[in-house]
Amino acid sequence: RPCPGASNDVAVDRPGAMGAYKYLEELWRKKQSDMMRFLLRVRCWEYRQLPAIHRATRPTRPDKARRLGYKAKQGFVIYRVRVRRGGRKKPLRKGINNGKPVNAGVNKIKWKRNLRSLAEERVGRKCGALRVLNSYWVAQDAAHKFYEVILVDPQHKVIRDDPRINWLCAPTMKHRELRGLTSAGRQHRGLRHKGHKSNHMRPSIRATWKRNNTQSLRRYR
């Protein structure tokens, strides 16, 4: 029986309630499901027929794109990139490497950076007037990986007037992808880690090496 004077409204908690983007996120987490395996196989076939770098009309993963900063408004562009998987063979003429045998390897050479940063770099060079915001994985097969890169037009009035994204219009943000400032770039620089054994990563490995190997003496006056 309700208490006299108390409100009869009862707050019902629905633990299973999810929004549309949450459903999409859960679908993409189950990549081995029959539906996702079929979708990814068909999409890989379609992406292979397209140019290596081409513009997408809309993000394939709208939930992921929005989490990375994408907005469906003027000034935002999505480009899809195809990059080759595997190691990096040393580019030598006839495979001849002059020098010590320890450096004579041609095959089994691994690239230092990840393929996502390579995809961002190629799009950034192709679209020089745009700024790379972020990127995400969409598909892969035995030979290629496919990424979608979010780009922003820094000259667009809608972008310049938006205080949440106009930091990307600063001159220091030109070609962030070439200087390891995007999320993929920070990952291959080792900046995802903090604490013990990661102090030599900041501000960079070379800067730390230079600081530790430079002797600084007080000037005699």
Side-chain angles (χ1 to χ4, degrees), residues 129-142:
L130 304 179
R131 305 280 166 86
V132 174
L133 178 62
N134 220 319
S135 62
Y136 52 91
W137 177 94
V138 285
Q140 71 183 48
D141 58 13

Side-chain angles (χ1 to χ4, degrees), residues 19 184 193 214:
H193 306 287
T214 302

Side-chain angles (χ1 to χ4, degrees), residues 96-176:
I96 300 171
N97 191 356
N98 299 312
K100 299 291 195 303
V102 68
N103 298 319
V106 175
N107 298 311
K108 300 185 178 180
I109 305 294
K110 311 301 186 291
W111 206 44
K112 296 284 186 182
R113 289 158 49 191
N114 51 52
L115 293 180
R116 190 157 68 95
S117 70
L118 174 64
E120 292 178 352
E121 176 184 337
R122 290 183 179 172
V123 178
R125 292 184 189 277
K126 179 97 171 172
C127 310
L130 304 179
R131 305 280 166 86
V132 174
L133 178 62
N134 220 319
S135 62
Y136 52 91
W137 177 94
V138 285
Q140 71 183 48
D141 58 13
H144 303 97
K145 282 195 177 186
F146 301 91
Y147 297 96
E148 287 186 357
V149 183
I150 306 169
L151 297 118
V152 176
D153 184 1
Q155 306 302 326
H156 203 289
K157 188 176 186 302
V158 174
I159 300 298
R160 299 181 80 87
D161 292 345
D162 188 350
R164 290 172 296 185
I165 195 63
N166 62 5
W167 56 269
L168 209 54
C169 301
T172 53
M173 293 298 162
K174 293 179 181 177
H175 290 294
R176 306 167 64 236

Side-chain angles (χ1 to χ4, degrees), residues 170-185:
T172 53
M173 293 298 162
K174 293 179 181 177
H175 290 294
R176 306 167 64 236
E177 71 284 352
L178 299 179
R179 297 177 287 132
L181 300 182
T182 59
S183 178

Side-chain angles (χ1 to χ4, degrees), residues 13-26:
D13 184 21
R14 294 185 298 166
M18 295 193 303
Y21 288 125
K22 190 66 177 175
Y23 272 108
L24 283 176
E25 181 184 348
E26 292 299 318

